[in-house]
Amino acid sequence: MRILIVEDEKTLAEVMSSSLKKEKYSVDMAFDGETGLDDALSGIYNLIILDIMLPFIDGIEILKQIRENKIDTKVIMLTAKSELEDKLNGLYSGADDYMTKPFHIEELIARVNVQLRKNEAQKVADEIEAYDLKLNVKKSELLCTTTNETIEVGYKEFLLLEYLMQNKNIIVSKEQIYDKVWGINNTSESNNLEAYLSFLRKKLKAIDSNVTIRAIRNLGYKLEEKQ
Ligand code: CA
């Protein structure tokens, strides 16, 4: 589960970040509204903790743009007492929860957990399907429905294949794949992408699937059926 904190008070951001990391969440931080908006629009976060008063672009505008871009990330707004009135004015519409500063960090963690559990309950799908492929989420097992052959996939292979299957017949860029599979601030492993794609192609072949991962020059990759 990946969380983005958009908060210009660095000390507060870092306190939140280290507490959330202890809860085994992956956390990224943005210290101004412009960076925060860019990160938020990547769509890779399960939850965003969003301060309202921020340099460059305020939290309410960021929230608006997240929703306009149909990103369904959970959002918890942080407000100062004086901004509470904004809630009554409906400016937080689209937020899932809000907290008034100052708050206890335990309270924030509890609310984050509630939001993310709700989110998981909504995503009960155990299987993702694309063409003749069925990916079993719990067992990390890939089934070809025409041959009935199965094969296990590793963790990164799973994330990569899941993303390609969710976007079947759509070109996804390398950057999108890096963000989704390795995380936005992590470039160390990302040049292994070719290797993981090659593992996946071998596995598709092994189960005799009609699905292929096509490299499209300068653009990215596409999961599609063989011609
Ligand atoms: Ca602030």
Side-chain angles (χ1 to χ4, degrees), residues 4-64:
L4 173 67
I5 297 171
V6 189
E7 168 61 80
D8 57 325
E9 291 167 56
K10 283 194 180 175
T11 318
L12 175 60
E14 272 151 17
V15 169
M16 291 191 284
S17 170
S18 66
S19 304
L20 288 163
K21 281 179 178 165
K22 275 185 207 143
E23 299 285 307
K24 307 284 178 237
Y25 292 116
S26 302
V27 183
D28 293 327
M29 289 184 280
F31 302 123
D32 67 73
E34 208 176 336
T35 317
L37 178 61
D38 266 3
D39 289 354
L41 291 180
S42 70
I44 66 168
Y45 295 99
N46 302 99
L47 185 139
I48 299 173
I49 296 169
L50 185 57
D51 187 31
I52 292 188
M53 294 297 284
L54 292 164
F56 311 129
I57 302 173
D58 70 32
I60 288 170
E61 179 62 25
I62 294 175
L63 176 66
K64 201 175 128 215

Side-chain angles (χ1 to χ4, degrees), residues 122-168:
Q122 281 162 7
K123 287 187 201 152
V124 282
D126 288 346
E127 281 178 337
I128 302 161
E129 287 183 56
Y131 307 116
D132 67 0
L133 294 178
K134 256 189 197 173
L135 182 62
N136 186 306
V137 174
K138 283 187 183 145
K139 291 193 272 183
S140 289
E141 193 181 72
L142 183 65
L143 165 76
C144 174
T145 54
T146 45
T147 60
N148 223 19
E149 303 246 16
T150 61
I151 196 159
E152 260 181 57
V153 290
Y155 180 61
K156 295 281 186 206
E157 291 170 355
F158 174 86
L159 292 179
L160 177 55
L161 186 59
E162 178 188 46
Y163 188 57
L164 290 168
M165 287 174 76
Q166 283 164 345
N167 292 283
K168 67 174 183 180

